[in-house]
Amino acid sequence: DDLCRATLEAVCFQSREMLDAMNQDLASCPGFNPLASIQVDGLMTTNSLLLELQADILGIEVVHKDFKEMTVLGAAIAAGAAVKLPLLPSHDPNYYIPKLGQEKRDARYTRWKEAVQRSMQWAKTEQHGSGCPGMNVIAQTQVVVHNNGAQSFEWKGYGLKLLIPCDA
């Protein structure tokens, strides 16, 4: 249960990161007001805990229309508008209101960002010296010299193997 909740919280904290960046970027625009609510859809929004966490972590109202095929509905509304046929869904939304105070919300967000920074140190970072100068990588790495003398940087990690041409 703890791992599942932590995963849901991480999604919400990442959403807060994006919302904060957007608000910061748009703050200097005349007439801009930070969002007071967001509308959500998609498969993850079938989880009411996620929506409650989202409201608490973002500190704004989360509006969810309990309609499974919102993308299809959006396409149908657009198609109807193109032929001047109004199509208005009649689904009443669910509202999720933040219950967490600003101080607690900010403290949790700060702790999450600190935890992310600490986790970045768990993997050993190696400095690769030859072939691709100054390239830092997290994974098993090596330089591959091909028959034609060209060099590639081979990166193996997380079940992937990448060959990246080097322009040293």
Side-chain angles (χ1 to χ4, degrees):
D1 286 348
D2 290 342
L3 183 59
C4 292
R5 183 181 178 96
T7 302
L8 294 176
E9 286 179 349
V11 168
C12 298
F13 284 127
Q14 289 173 352
S15 296
R16 173 159 175 188
E17 227 170 16
M18 289 188 296
L19 184 64
D20 286 354
M22 182 191 74
N23 285 334
Q24 185 178 358
D25 288 348
L26 296 175
S28 61
C29 295
F32 172 75
N33 293 314
L35 292 178
S37 69
I38 60 168
Q39 293 187 29
V40 297
D41 63 47
L43 188 58
M44 287 186 71
T45 63
T46 60
N47 186 317
S48 60
L49 176 58
L50 172 76
L51 300 176
E52 291 169 15
L53 289 169
Q54 192 79 293
D56 280 343
I57 290 170
L58 295 179
I60 60 176
E61 179 183 72
V62 174
V63 181
H64 175 247
K65 291 188 178 181
D66 193 18
F67 188 74
K68 303 275 188 258
E69 297 296 336
M70 193 60 73
T71 304
V72 173
L73 178 62
I77 291 171
V83 294
K84 309 229 183 319
L85 175 68
L87 177 60
L88 301 174
S90 62
H91 294 279
D92 292 328
N94 297 314
Y95 296 91
Y96 295 84
I97 309 298
K99 296 179 182 117
L100 208 61
Q102 187 68 41
E103 192 173 308
K104 283 186 177 182
R105 178 180 7 270
D106 290 342
R108 287 178 65 188
Y109 182 52
T110 298
R111 270 195 340 259
W112 177 76
K113 289 193 303 186
E114 290 168 351
V116 169
Q117 286 303 312
R118 281 193 308 272
S119 72
M120 298 288 205
Q121 304 306 314
W122 293 346
K124 185 178 180 201
T125 302
E126 297 177 7
Q127 177 72 28
H128 184 76
S130 63
C132 299
M135 186 171 205
N136 290 321
V137 295
I138 300 173
Q140 179 184 359
T141 61
Q142 67 181 17
V143 172
V144 177
V145 180
H146 301 278
N147 290 337
N148 64 1
Q151 293 183 348
S152 291
F153 186 77
E154 183 180 79
W155 181 92
K156 292 181 190 174
Y158 309 106
L160 301 173
K161 179 179 176 182
L162 303 174
L163 281 176
I164 304 164
C166 292
D167 298 323

